[in-house]
Amino acid sequence: MDIKKFNLWNKVTALAVLAISAFTYLSTIEPPASFWDCGEFIASSYKLEVGHPPGNPVFQLIARFFTMFTGPDKAAVMVNSMSALCSALTIFFLYLTIVFLVKRVVAPKRGGEGGTEEYSPGQAIAIYGSGAVGALAYCFSDTFWFSAIEGEVYALSSMFTALVVWLMLKWEEQADQPHSMRWIVLIAYLMGLSIGVHILNLLTVPALVFIYYFRKTQRITFKGIAVST
């Protein structure tokens, strides 16, 4: 299987994982508001009012966009649907991240016309399967599913987190190309936005620093690792 065909089937599998997770979450969303912060988040988003500290303005603006298409009686369903879609996108980016990492273990072989790189059917299935199993295992995990179907900030925050990690791997792949720093700028922008949802995204900073350090450093030292930490 040549690289073009491999990438095509990779996209098909990624979209299938996205569809499965989106269908699962949208089919099981909470019809009303859950009995904790969800009611406050939904009401404050619908009216664009101030929520409890430290606040979540980005969440409220995005949730308000979803509620613009319905009345107050369906505001909870729309905000819950937003969480479901953001959670499905989290699973989508998780699949892409796993595939990226597995491809570093399962290297393509030289073959075909002109000595181009190719994956054997077994290698391709191993890569797709690893990504799909890993992503869907997280999709159906109790903790993530619980927060994926209600109007809480964790679903949107998880999407930002998964997106930032995937973008950092995209930078790592293109670090030697011109204008590769655009990925870093985009990551910084998205991390700034994510703080307006939840501070969970800050947990990715050490991982991002390590990816940058190991990609750009020719000679790995204990001191360099300590400073990166």
Side-chain angles (χ1 to χ4, degrees):
M1 181 183 295
D2 59 35
I3 297 299
K4 288 185 178 180
K5 186 177 293 185
F6 174 87
N7 290 335
L8 174 61
W9 281 106
N10 185 37
K11 292 177 182 177
V12 171
T13 308
L15 291 175
V17 169
L18 175 63
I20 291 171
S21 54
F23 176 79
T24 300
Y25 295 144
L26 289 172
S27 299
T28 57
I29 58 170
E30 290 278 2
S34 303
F35 293 105
W36 33 88
D37 293 342
C38 303
E40 177 197 351
F41 286 134
I42 294 168
S44 60
S45 297
Y46 184 76
K47 291 290 187 178
L48 286 182
E49 296 175 346
V50 179
H52 66 262
N56 39 58
V58 175
F59 173 87
Q60 290 180 324
L61 287 172
I62 297 176
R64 176 53 184 152
F65 172 77
F66 276 78
T67 60
M68 288 173 62
F69 302 100
T70 186
D73 57 325
K74 296 295 183 181
V77 173
M78 295 304 294
V79 176
N80 294 341
S81 298
M82 179 198 75
S83 293
L85 293 174
C86 289
S87 299
L89 287 171
T90 302
I91 303 303
F92 173 76
F93 289 118
L94 177 59
Y95 168 85
L96 295 178
T97 299
I98 295 173
V99 166
F100 181 92
L101 297 175
V102 175
K103 283 169 62 179
R104 292 303 176 91
V105 178
V106 183
K109 299 178 181 179
R110 291 285 180 178
E113 298 180 1
T116 57
E117 293 183 338
E118 292 184 344
Y119 287 101
S120 68
Q123 287 178 318
I125 292 173
I127 295 171
Y128 303 148
S130 299
V133 170
L136 292 177
Y138 189 57
C139 169
F140 293 108
S141 64
D142 179 73
T143 302
F144 188 74
W145 197 344
F146 185 84
S147 63
I149 59 175
E150 60 183 12
E152 259 282 8
V153 297
Y154 304 118
L156 184 58
S157 180
S158 296
M159 188 202 74
F160 273 113
T161 301
L163 176 58
V164 163
V165 172
W166 179 71
L167 287 174
M168 194 63 188
L169 295 177
K170 290 293 293 182
W171 168 84
E172 194 274 344
E173 189 177 41
Q174 303 176 17
D176 298 327
Q177 298 180 11
H179 311 297
S180 63
M181 289 300 292
R182 68 184 187 275
W183 296 107
I184 303 295
V185 175
L186 179 58
I187 288 169
Y189 174 71
L190 291 175
M191 291 190 73
L193 286 181
S194 71
I195 294 174
V197 179
H198 192 273
I199 60 174
L200 171 69
N201 204 272
L202 296 179
L203 294 176
T204 64
V205 172
L208 303 183
V209 172
F210 273 126
I211 293 172
Y212 187 91
Y213 173 75
F214 285 108
R215 183 65 176 82
K216 285 294 188 179
T217 304
Q218 299 294 329
R219 183 170 175 268
I220 308 297
T221 62
F222 179 79
K223 179 181 179 180
I225 295 175
V227 171
S228 299
T229 305

